[in-house]
Amino acid sequence: MVKIGYHASHEQFKPSALLQYVQLAEQAGFNAALSSDHFHPWSEMQGQSGFAWSWLGAAMYATPTLDYRIVNAPGQRYHPAIVAQAAATLAEMFPNRFWITVGSGQDLNEHITGDRWLAKRDRNTRLKECVDIIRALWAGETVTHHGLVTVEEAKLYSRPEVQPLIIGAAVTPETAEWVGSWADGLITTSRPHDELKQVVEAFRRGGGDGKPMLLKVQLAYDRDDETALHKAHEQWRNNVFKNTVMTELRTPQQFDAVGELVQPEALLQHVRVSSEPQQHIEWLQQDIELGFDELLLHHVSREQEQFIEVFGEKVLPAFTKT
């Protein structure tokens, strides 16, 4: 059965509010949750950015039927040994309920360390080093590593019986093909069907055939399409640019500046906007046909309770036997 998850957007809501939302999502029939992991929001208007790892412990305890995933960028803001320890603790406390998804990050979050922001190729090299370090620590090895990250005689003593999967994040087909060679699965974001198909095919071609695939679905729902689009534009217009732009901007103010150029209609290529639950069902069915095992729904507007209630009543039941 495909999992339908709720995306907990730390950039948009206080941690205490997100805790209430995942509880409502569990009650409504969602069976998974994806947590963002940022230091800064994408916009001054969003205005939040709680520490995801603190929140995860509370959320996983408060919603015992939900499986959790987190999007993380080890290597600069996070030392991989600390990521390994944090993930191992959650996986030990909540067996078989937690996976970590990893990517090369955005300067928006990582520049706070004062370290140089690497070129994409070097960030990918660093990411793979981090993944190898994390896996070695989970296996009980004493790790010393000197590369783009440094580890000296680290050994992880509290380890889960079942190691969590490490899911690789990819937006482009090129990155997806590379991710297929080392990751336990793929996570990507929703976009037009043909573009998404290219990412899936590249991941499978690179070695990902048969591995789980997760899709973060950006959507907007409201009483009519115009209202849904307006509210999505208000909150999410800064997130429609190519990855080469999204990874290089440094501050929420810079994202706000480029977002001023985005007209509402431009969001329609990046956010699924519809006031009809049946339309959202049809879009999600197309994702399942591409082979996605988990659909993690991010309602980009602020009205989370309405979204959870309506989708719990009218959308989720269509997939309970999928």
Side-chain angles (χ1 to χ4, degrees):
M1 181 185 299
V2 66
K3 287 185 180 296
I4 307 291
Y6 171 80
H7 179 65
S9 180
H10 284 278
E11 306 92 324
Q12 295 176 275
F13 304 101
K14 294 179 180 179
S16 55
L18 281 180
L19 186 60
Q20 295 176 348
Y21 293 153
V22 291
Q23 290 175 305
L24 290 175
E26 181 184 45
Q27 295 167 14
F30 289 85
N31 50 24
L34 174 68
S35 171
S36 59
D37 181 7
H38 276 212
F39 192 86
H40 291 133
W42 299 103
S43 165
E44 287 288 333
M45 186 177 295
Q46 291 176 354
Q48 296 292 328
S49 198
F51 186 56
W53 292 92
S54 300
W55 179 85
L56 277 169
M60 294 183 76
Y61 182 79
T63 55
T65 70
L66 296 187
D67 292 339
Y68 278 78
R69 290 74 175 98
I70 185 172
V71 182
N72 179 261
Q76 186 161 327
R77 180 169 48 114
Y78 287 111
H79 192 281
I82 301 303
V83 174
Q85 184 182 34
T89 296
L90 288 174
E92 194 282 330
M93 294 174 65
F94 306 105
N96 300 307
R97 290 181 55 204
F98 178 73
W99 295 349
I100 181 171
T101 78
V102 296
S104 58
Q106 301 101 9
D107 201 13
L108 173 70
N109 303 301
E110 310 309 318
H111 79 265
I112 64 168
T113 65
D115 295 331
R116 181 170 63 91
W117 182 236
L118 301 178
K120 173 62 173 173
R121 181 180 62 182
D122 293 332
R123 297 202 307 273
N124 282 352
T125 299
R126 182 176 65 186
L127 175 61
K128 183 55 167 57
E129 287 184 18
C130 290
V131 169
D132 292 342
I133 290 164
I134 291 169
R135 284 175 168 155
L137 289 168
W138 286 348
E141 298 177 22
T142 299
V143 177
T144 295
H145 177 88
H146 296 275
L148 291 174
V149 293
T150 300
V151 184
E152 291 283 355
E153 298 181 354
K155 182 176 180 179
L156 193 59
Y157 283 86
S158 294
R159 304 189 305 274
E161 291 186 10
V162 179
Q163 295 182 15
L165 297 188
I166 298 180
I167 307 298
V171 175
T172 66
E174 293 77 17
T175 300
E177 185 168 357
W178 172 67
V179 161
S181 69
W182 57 262
D184 296 319
L186 168 74
I187 185 169
T188 189
T189 55
S190 57
R191 69 205 69 177
H193 182 83
D194 289 345
E195 294 181 26
L196 195 56
K197 184 178 180 181
Q198 292 178 29
V199 171
V200 168
E201 291 175 345
F203 174 68
R204 289 171 171 163
R205 185 169 60 248
D209 195 27
K211 297 177 181 179
M213 296 193 301
L214 289 59
L215 182 67
K216 179 179 178 285
V217 178
Q218 287 92 212
L219 64 92
Y221 166 84
D222 215 291
R223 61 182 180 272
D224 56 66
D225 291 356
E226 183 179 356
T227 301
L229 180 59
H230 170 75
K231 292 180 178 179
H233 181 258
E234 183 180 69
Q235 280 286 298
W236 212 246
R237 63 178 177 266
N238 295 356
N239 296 66
V240 303
F241 302 99
K242 290 184 180 296
N243 205 43
T244 51
V245 175
M246 298 290 289
T247 59
E248 300 301 321
L249 297 180
R250 290 174 58 86
T251 66
Q253 293 82 4
Q254 289 178 343
F255 275 93
D256 282 333
V258 297
E260 290 178 0
L261 305 174
V262 178
Q263 297 301 310
E265 292 73 19
L267 266 72
L268 296 176
Q269 291 293 309
H270 306 272
V271 178
R272 296 176 180 177
V273 178
S274 178
S275 58
E276 296 295 334
Q278 183 59 39
Q279 176 62 78
H280 289 283
I281 290 172
E282 292 174 5
W283 280 326
L284 295 172
Q285 287 173 334
Q286 292 175 6
D287 300 329
I288 294 171
E289 291 170 2
L290 280 177
F292 285 99
D293 305 280
E294 296 190 11
L295 307 175
L296 303 156
L297 310 188
H298 179 193
H299 181 54
V300 301
S301 305
R302 300 200 62 83
E303 288 73 17
Q304 297 296 297
E305 293 183 19
Q306 172 184 258
F307 157 69
I308 292 169
E309 179 182 354
V310 171
F311 273 59
E313 179 183 344
K314 298 183 178 181
V315 175
L316 300 188
F319 302 98
T320 55
K321 296 181 180 181
T322 299

